[in-house]
Amino acid sequence: MPSLIQQLGGYGVACGIAIGRAHLLAPSEFEIPKYHIAPDAVLHEVARLNNAFSLVRAEIKELRADVAETAPAEVGAFLDLHRMILDDSLLCDAPRDLVRTRHINAEWALTIQLEEVCRQFEAIDDEYFRSRSQDVRQVVERVLRRLAGERSARVPLPKHADTGEATILVAHDLSPADVLHFREHSGVAFAGFLTEIGGPTSHTTILARSLGIPAVVGIAGVRERVGEGDRLIVDSDSGRVYLRPDADILAESRRQIRATTQQRAGLRKLRGRVAQTRDGVPVELLANIELPGDARDALEAGADGIGLFRTEFLFMNRDDLPSEDEQYESYAKVARTMKGKPVVIRTLDVGADKVLNPGAHAGSSGTRDGDGSGPQPNPALGLRAIRYCLAYPDLFLTQLRAILRASEHGTVRLLVPMLAHLHEIEQAIAFVIRAQEQLTERRQKFDAGIEIGGMIEVPGAALNLGPFVRRLKFLSLGTNDLIQYTLAIDRTDSSVAYLYEPLHPAVLQLIHHTIRGGEKAGLPVSVCGEMAGDGTASELLLGMGLRRFSMSPAQILPIKQRIFDLDTKAAARLAARVARMHDPMEIRSALQRADRAARRGDK
Ligand code: PEP
Ligand code: MG
């Protein structure tokens, strides 16, 4: 029986399986000497600091120059970020002052500043920025290594010459620069890595995914359980790591690696093909994006358009609101990038877990109770999305004008989130008309025929589709929130995450009802929640009549492949069978059986 390290709060980066021998890296928190220096040693100590910073600066510059042109853009961006951190006066000037005023050694001064900077990062109420403190620690660690006299902050890799096998690094933490170095300069096959810390938004994780390096991060205590040279299988899709696997597991993993390699090569060929089922029914595969630059990834993945542009990310992590012109530039950029393919721009969905900085809040002068600027008792049920926009007409009109102006540059559609009431739909439409009038007064162009759609993500909306289908031109099922609100579980609360069940019969009934309602009224319906990119649910959604799926760009080709295997009549029979089931486990088994049958080509 192989020993299985089930990750404890760990996270697989979801890019395949790696097999190799473990190489343990020394803990990054090495002993830091701390002592007072004589006043006449200050100049020397400051010179040590300056020298260490210069060496690390040169090292990062060299790495940056080595980045291949074909490498993903993130690779250079990580190194630029580390260079910026290194040049920040809080890190490079303040420790010098500490050496001068407190007469302490360079390492001590640097670590005092490190803790100060990290405290500032960790106080930021945003997971992405909080996790940047990790980048600061990685940069300071490089400088500390130089101060400790290491010729290079790079750790050499052993050659498992006797076995000829690749190396899997096991570390407390790895910086993006380390990952890059091991991949490009170590001279040995670097197959993957495991770390004790890290999470879904750490830069190292993002980089590993974009470089296709299998890794599992956040496995507490992994360095104590793995020995140097141990054979490991890193399954970054399931987040599991097999330590000293037996011959059967090894053979199975090798088979899976071969299958994945073949599958990826095959998928690239699908980019230019229109997705259609085996019985010839076309299916639209659209992309969800968060920032204008993501539109390029969507195009690369062969998306039929943008099914959901989550505009709130333009409003976050800043102390002001984006102006109409700034928003217009962003929306127009996406419209132009997509070259006439449809672009669905969702109006601001702020609130719940997507909070604005207090200064950027529309109501920051003269706030109302529960307006999103302070903690709300129940934020997911509070002043969120369209409710927020209707409460702040100027903010809403500014965004609508920007979207309307961008409609000149492509096929833009407008999507309104979290609608539940007839009067909300009517008010949203009235605001669009008002914004159009304002642009006409200003003699600015826009697409007068722009389509307005509504998100169905509140159960009350799904059960009362009449006002939606009469007044809107398309519907988009936000299954992430629909599940949250149907099953009464906070999407962000890990203690109830086990209750988040997309295959709960109540959720499926609401989805099916909405698809049928749209069909009857001749209104296109899409799914833009995570379910659309989950291959397990594809046949069921197709069987319910769904023909538009919107997902993250990376999921488009695997789902396209899935669609080619499916048959709409078989899918409809599956949906009818599932409609009679009451247990999500039973439903999941039925979907898995149907999946196997579809892959075999059964009708
Ligand atoms: C959803 O709720 O399914 C959705 C797509 O919107 P978001 O995840 O942005 O809330
Ligand atoms: Mg939503």
Side-chain angles (χ1 to χ4, degrees):
M1 186 68 185
S3 115
L4 172 66
I5 304 171
Q6 198 78 45
Q7 51 161 347
L8 301 166
Y11 186 82
V13 306
C15 57
I17 298 175
I19 304 174
R21 297 277 178 177
H23 174 51
L24 272 71
L25 292 183
S28 53
E29 295 114 322
F30 48 87
E31 271 303 300
I32 297 177
K34 291 178 182 168
Y35 50 88
H36 282 97
I37 53 168
D40 61 1
V42 164
L43 275 183
H44 170 73
E45 207 57 21
V46 169
R48 278 186 71 224
L49 253 181
N50 290 347
N51 189 38
F53 269 89
S54 306
L55 289 169
V56 174
R57 222 169 261 130
E59 201 172 280
I60 293 180
K61 194 171 166 198
E62 194 189 325
L63 273 173
R64 183 73 174 90
D66 286 351
V67 172
E69 274 181 15
T70 49
E74 293 96 320
V75 176
F78 292 133
L79 294 171
D80 292 341
L81 174 68
H82 280 207
R83 175 64 205 253
M84 271 165 55
I85 292 172
L86 194 66
D87 288 341
D88 193 297
S89 66
L90 279 176
L91 275 188
C92 69
D93 296 338
R96 278 197 287 259
D97 294 340
L98 285 174
V99 171
R100 285 192 198 103
T101 55
R102 290 170 58 177
H103 294 175
I104 55 176
N105 68 319
E107 289 89 338
W108 194 358
L110 192 56
T111 48
I112 288 175
Q113 262 319 102
L114 167 67
E115 292 316 322
E116 174 55 31
V117 174
C118 287
R119 243 196 316 278
Q120 291 180 15
F121 266 101
E122 281 152 17
I124 300 175
D125 196 17
D126 174 284
E127 196 195 331
Y128 177 82
F129 277 98
R130 261 200 316 277
S131 64
R132 296 291 70 80
S133 67
Q134 201 50 39
D135 292 280
V136 178
R137 287 187 192 282
Q138 288 162 349
V139 169
V140 168
E141 191 183 311
R142 293 179 98 84
V143 181
L144 287 170
R145 283 201 188 127
R146 288 298 191 161
L147 283 168
E150 275 185 38
R151 283 188 49 245
S152 163
R154 295 167 180 176
V155 189
L157 281 185
K159 280 196 168 51
H160 295 294
D162 46 338
T163 60
E165 285 182 60
T167 295
I168 290 176
L169 291 179
V170 183
H172 175 67
D173 183 25
L174 282 179
S175 72
D178 287 335
V179 173
L180 206 57
H181 162 68
F182 290 129
R183 197 179 109 113
E184 297 189 357
H185 299 281
S186 59
V188 290
F190 165 42
F193 63 88
L194 309 177
T195 59
E196 295 186 322
I197 60 173
T201 61
S202 75
H203 268 154
T204 302
T205 305
I206 300 168
L207 183 69
R209 195 178 298 125
S210 68
L211 291 174
I213 301 173
V216 178
V217 300
I219 311 175
V222 68
R223 281 176 310 139
E224 271 97 67
R225 305 186 57 177
V226 176
E228 179 71 26
D230 275 349
R231 183 176 278 137
L232 293 169
I233 298 176
V234 179
D235 183 344
S236 77
D237 298 321
S238 68
R240 284 196 191 129
V241 178
Y242 294 92
L243 172 63
R244 296 185 288 274
D246 65 14
D248 288 347
I249 296 224
L250 208 54
E252 173 55 20
S253 298
R254 289 196 173 120
R255 192 198 59 72
Q256 282 182 32
I257 293 174
R258 277 195 303 276
T260 310
T261 312
Q262 279 169 6
Q263 197 192 4
R264 283 206 190 124
L267 284 178
R268 274 195 292 278
K269 291 188 218 129
L270 300 179
R271 276 189 52 221
R273 286 180 62 192
V274 174
Q276 60 171 22
T277 59
R278 260 193 305 141
D279 51 333
V281 176
V283 173
E284 267 181 65
L285 299 181
L286 305 150
N288 293 350
I289 62 167
E290 276 80 41
L291 288 170
D294 301 342
R296 187 155 294 286
D297 297 337
L299 216 53
E300 272 288 295
D304 294 316
I306 303 296
L308 173 67
F309 180 2
R310 291 181 162 104
T311 58
E312 50 277 8
F313 287 86
L314 299 172
F315 290 68
M316 282 152 68
N317 305 318
R318 54 190 290 166
D319 290 323
D320 58 355
L321 289 168
S323 67
E324 180 184 323
D325 281 350
E326 185 184 340
Q327 290 186 57
Y328 159 71
E329 289 299 337
S330 299
Y331 307 146
K333 179 175 172 184
V334 175
R336 280 194 292 260
T337 306
M338 295 311 292
K339 302 188 176 87
K341 290 183 175 181
V343 174
V344 176
I345 303 182
R346 180 173 75 181
T347 57
L348 187 64
D349 182 3
V350 75
D353 57 331
K354 290 182 276 195
V355 283
L356 299 185
N357 287 358
H361 184 259
S364 54
S365 55
T367 53
R368 309 160 16 148
D369 268 358
D371 64 0
S373 61
Q376 297 179 60
N378 233 327
L381 304 180
L383 197 66
R384 192 194 151 177
I386 185 63
R387 304 170 183 183
Y388 184 94
C389 288
L390 293 178
Y392 295 105
D394 287 345
L395 167 130
F396 196 28
L397 280 170
T398 304
Q399 183 175 40
L400 291 174
R401 286 193 303 270
I403 297 174
L404 286 167
R405 284 168 58 194
S407 66
E408 260 293 285
H409 302 280
T411 311
V412 171
R413 295 177 187 145
L414 222 151
L415 179 63
V416 186
M418 222 185 150
L419 292 164
H421 301 268
L422 166 63
H423 60 81
E424 286 173 333
I425 302 173
E426 286 176 341
Q427 284 183 80
I429 295 172
F431 269 100
V432 176
I433 294 170
R434 177 81 196 105
Q436 289 175 331
E437 286 166 358
Q438 290 174 339
L439 292 179
T440 308
E441 279 163 27
R442 290 196 210 155
R443 297 178 194 284
Q444 279 179 310
K445 289 189 187 157
F446 59 90
D447 171 9
I450 192 168
E451 293 184 355
I452 308 173
M455 284 195 75
I456 303 294
E457 46 188 353
V458 175
L463 292 170
N464 186 34
L465 286 173
F468 287 83
V469 297
R470 276 197 290 278
R471 287 173 173 76
L472 297 170
K473 290 280 186 266
F474 64 97
L475 302 178
S476 191
L477 271 154
T479 49
N480 305 338
D481 277 314
L482 189 63
I483 298 164
Q484 154 164 277
Y485 295 127
T486 305
L487 302 179
I489 10 121
D490 184 340
R491 268 165 83 168
T492 63
D493 184 345
S494 56
S495 68
V496 288
Y498 71 102
L499 294 171
Y500 195 86
E501 179 51 88
L503 299 182
H504 190 292
V507 172
L508 297 180
Q509 282 173 37
L510 292 171
I511 295 174
H512 201 171
H513 179 75
T514 305
I515 296 171
R516 269 200 312 245
E519 212 169 70
K520 256 202 240 149
L523 233 63
V525 179
S526 66
V527 168
C528 63
E530 290 305 294
M531 263 180 104
D534 175 0
T536 331
S538 308
E539 184 166 7
L540 179 60
L541 292 172
L542 189 79
M544 289 177 178
L546 189 75
R547 298 293 179 262
R548 271 187 193 181
F549 296 65
S550 192
M551 64 206 79
S552 84
Q555 292 165 322
I556 288 181
L557 290 178
I559 295 291
K560 192 182 271 190
Q561 173 69 77
R562 183 96 192 83
I563 297 292
F564 282 121
D565 282 343
L566 300 176
D567 177 273
T568 53
K569 286 180 282 310
R573 285 196 298 274
L574 172 69
R577 274 200 309 283
V578 165
R580 292 191 292 274
M581 298 176 184
H582 302 286
D583 175 6
M585 298 270 278
E586 190 192 359
I587 296 175
R588 188 160 279 112
S589 306
L591 299 191
Q592 282 161 354
R593 273 197 309 278
D595 179 32
R596 285 193 292 274
R599 281 173 207 270
R600 280 196 310 267
D602 300 355
K603 292 257 175 173

